[in-house]
Amino acid sequence: MYNATPGAGGRSALSPGTFVLVVGVLLVQLGFLVSYIGAFHHPRPQGIPVAVVAPAQAAERLDRLPGDPLSVTAVEDERAARARILDRKAEGAYLMDPRGGTDTLLVASGAGGPQAKALRRVGEGVADDQGRRLKVVDIAPSGPQDYESLTAFYLIVGWLVGGYLLASLMGVAAGTRPARPGLGALRLAGTAVYAVLSGLGGAIVVDPVLHALPGHFLALWWVGALLVFGTAACTLALEAFLGVVGIGVAVLVFVVLGNPSAGGAFQRHLIPPFWRAVGEWIPTGAGTSAVRDIVYFSGHALGTPLLVMAVWAAAGAVLLMAGSVRRREPGLSLPL
């Protein structure tokens, strides 16, 4: 005869492991809210690097505007100012014509539409205060199918999601920690194949299919492959040491912290200092910068984003292999 024990299912559902995981999910959710709203609720220009061609006194005034929206570097002429923007050493340039009544503002919307608009507002305010006119010239515009230069960010987010979902699937299907180094190496090999295919798919979508970022197919393919491999390898490593909790930590790093600090919707000089400080060191931000540098700035300043992504990839691979030889400690798993 079947004899159900009252409350048995309830006690199982409320096991200590389940409770800890639920609390962890709640904390990640609250972190998501704090991170996104904290980064985006009040964007304002803060220390945007700008080249200035103007008399010394005028350059000093620009550097001391209320709220410090600009960080000014004086240069000799328009050619030098353009070079600083295209070499990714400045985000814009203010060119004052002492003999005329019209100044020129150089911007680069390929680095981010909101930042270019913020520079325009600041420049118009400066010109109005001096009773002058302002001409705005976009010397590195975002593409006609790339509104506000947002495609780079969403491409990177898509690649990242694929990376940590692959790692999560491996953990669920085959266990979070490889039983021996050979199995860890096998996971890395499978991840590498997936990363190459994922990078290829993303490049196909943004180039020949949608024409959002045309003309850079091979470079985007391999940036995507590196990013996906690094994301997946790091997630696999976190799973090897933390079990299923490692998936949550990966989401915390790559999504909760990485997305709002990546320079997608609002660029780094428009968001608060914490997000500005961490963004370029997380694969989300490094990847977004790399894609924009490739597409709009001829690969200038590409070295640092690539190095950041390579370090994450190498660290993930090494830690996964270390986790595969680590002895399993009792009590580390969280029973569901």
Side-chain angles (χ1 to χ4, degrees):
M1 179 183 295
Y2 175 73
N3 186 14
T5 302
R11 286 197 299 272
S12 175
L14 295 176
S15 66
T18 301
F19 178 76
V20 170
L21 287 177
V22 170
V23 171
V25 170
L26 177 62
L27 292 177
V28 170
Q29 175 190 339
L30 294 176
F32 186 98
L33 294 173
V34 170
S35 188
Y36 276 69
I37 298 173
F40 295 157
H41 77 287
H42 183 52
R44 63 183 182 88
Q46 304 163 70
I48 301 178
V50 172
V52 171
V53 180
Q57 188 175 7
E60 290 178 5
R61 284 201 304 269
L62 287 172
D63 202 31
R64 297 175 182 173
L65 292 174
D68 295 320
L70 307 179
S71 177
V72 168
T73 298
V75 296
E76 293 183 0
D77 52 27
E78 180 178 348
R79 181 179 179 181
R82 286 175 174 265
R84 286 189 68 84
I85 296 172
L86 297 176
D87 291 344
R88 307 306 294 125
K89 296 177 181 178
E91 302 295 345
Y94 195 97
L95 315 177
M96 184 173 289
D97 181 6
R99 296 186 297 273
T102 300
D103 298 336
T104 301
L105 176 70
L106 305 180
V107 298
S109 63
Q115 179 174 258
K117 290 178 180 178
L119 280 173
R120 179 170 189 155
R121 288 193 295 270
V122 173
E124 289 173 343
V126 170
D128 287 344
D129 288 344
Q130 302 298 315
R132 304 172 65 83
R133 296 182 298 274
L134 185 70
K135 179 176 69 173
V136 180
V137 179
D138 193 343
I139 66 170
S142 58
Q145 302 298 319
D146 181 19
Y147 178 72
E148 302 281 23
S149 192
L150 283 170
T151 301
F153 173 65
Y154 289 116
L155 176 62
I156 293 302
V157 168
W159 275 330
L160 279 165
V161 169
Y164 66 71
L165 284 182
L166 172 70
S168 301
L169 178 62
M170 285 184 178
V172 171
T176 56
R177 184 175 71 87
R180 57 184 184 275
L183 292 177
L186 186 60
R187 291 193 187 190
L188 288 176
T191 297
V193 172
Y194 176 89
V196 171
L197 294 175
S198 179
L200 174 62
I204 290 173
V205 168
V206 298
D207 191 349
V209 174
L210 298 180
H211 307 290
L213 301 175
H216 305 275
F217 184 86
L218 288 177
L220 294 180
W221 177 2
W222 293 109
V223 165
L226 176 61
L227 184 80
V228 173
F229 180 83
T231 305
C234 286
T235 306
L236 288 169
L238 288 168
E239 290 176 353
F241 282 91
L242 302 176
V244 69
V245 174
I247 299 173
V249 175
V251 171
L252 180 67
V253 173
F254 298 131
V255 178
V256 174
L257 289 178
N259 281 8
S261 65
F266 295 104
Q267 288 64 62
R268 62 187 303 261
H269 293 287
L270 302 179
I271 57 180
F274 170 76
W275 289 269
R276 188 162 67 247
V278 303
E280 62 182 332
W281 306 113
I282 298 175
T284 327
T288 301
S289 295
V291 171
R292 285 174 173 160
D293 290 343
I294 289 169
V295 174
Y296 295 118
F297 300 98
S298 303
H300 289 293
L302 186 58
T304 297
L306 289 181
L307 178 61
V308 169
M309 290 187 288
V311 167
W312 278 84
V318 169
L319 289 174
L320 174 61
M321 296 305 296
S324 68
V325 300
R326 180 180 63 92
R327 292 183 60 187
R328 189 181 297 276
E329 301 292 339
L332 284 180
S333 62
L334 293 174
L336 293 175

